[in-house]
Amino acid sequence: MVNNLPKGSGELVLVIDDDDGIRWVVEKILTAHGYEVCTSPDGQCGLAEFERQRERFELVICDEVMPGMRGGAVLDQIQLTAPSVKRIAMSGFLEELSGSNVEGDSSVLRLAKPLTSESLLRTVLEALGGLKAP
């Protein structure tokens, strides 16, 4: 099954999550499957990193529930400054994904934690336009 998981082509992905373990796992999965990854521990740092490489990022994956700046606000800011960048909101709390700033925004995909390699890679591929939702 592992060999059948979708692969990237070097797309640059920004992963923003306050949980070190989640950032590490997502980075390892994505890099092992052909993506280039930058990580950030919170919304403010994530937006700063995004601004440094705005022209290169193709996708931002952001935790919805973080101290300080919530993920929906981060993704909204990215949408305002770079509307072509794809966005994924993730959370371990399904009610946070359904009641967040990104609810009703069909351009933001949702990814529930705990995630699997398959759910992550398929959602990333869908966000980047390579897979249609069933």
Side-chain angles (χ1 to χ4, degrees), residues 6 13 18 22 28 35 47 58 61 65-66 95 111 118:
V13 179
D18 61 314
I22 296 289
K28 294 303 174 202
Y35 297 93
L47 286 174
E58 294 189 45
I61 301 172
V65 181
M66 297 184 290
E95 63 276 4
L111 180 62
E118 183 173 3

Side-chain angles (χ1 to χ4, degrees), residues 78-97:
I78 288 168
Q79 171 67 24
L80 288 173
T81 61
S84 66
V85 172
K86 307 304 183 193
R87 299 166 293 145
I88 297 173
M90 68 178 170
S91 179
F93 306 97
L94 292 179
E95 63 276 4
E96 290 295 335
L97 286 175

Side-chain angles (χ1 to χ4, degrees), residues 30-124:
L30 291 177
T31 56
H33 287 86
Y35 297 93
E36 185 179 345
V37 179
C38 288
T39 64
S40 185
D42 63 50
Q44 291 293 346
C45 291
L47 286 174
E49 180 62 33
F50 182 79
E51 286 305 315
R52 278 191 285 280
Q53 300 189 69
R54 181 194 309 201
E55 299 303 317
R56 293 194 56 228
F57 283 112
E58 294 189 45
L59 174 66
V60 176
I61 301 172
C62 189
D63 185 23
E64 180 59 34
V65 181
M66 297 184 290
M69 187 175 214
R70 292 183 56 97
V74 173
L75 295 175
D76 286 347
Q77 185 62 38
I78 288 168
Q79 171 67 24
L80 288 173
T81 61
S84 66
V85 172
K86 307 304 183 193
R87 299 166 293 145
I88 297 173
M90 68 178 170
S91 179
F93 306 97
L94 292 179
E95 63 276 4
E96 290 295 335
L97 286 175
S98 64
S100 73
N101 297 28
V102 299
E103 178 64 15
D105 185 344
S106 62
S107 67
V108 177
L109 293 179
R110 283 123 183 109
L111 180 62
K113 296 183 206 172
L115 51 85
T116 64
S117 295
E118 183 173 3
S119 67
L120 172 63
L121 292 167
R122 290 198 182 282
T123 304
V124 166

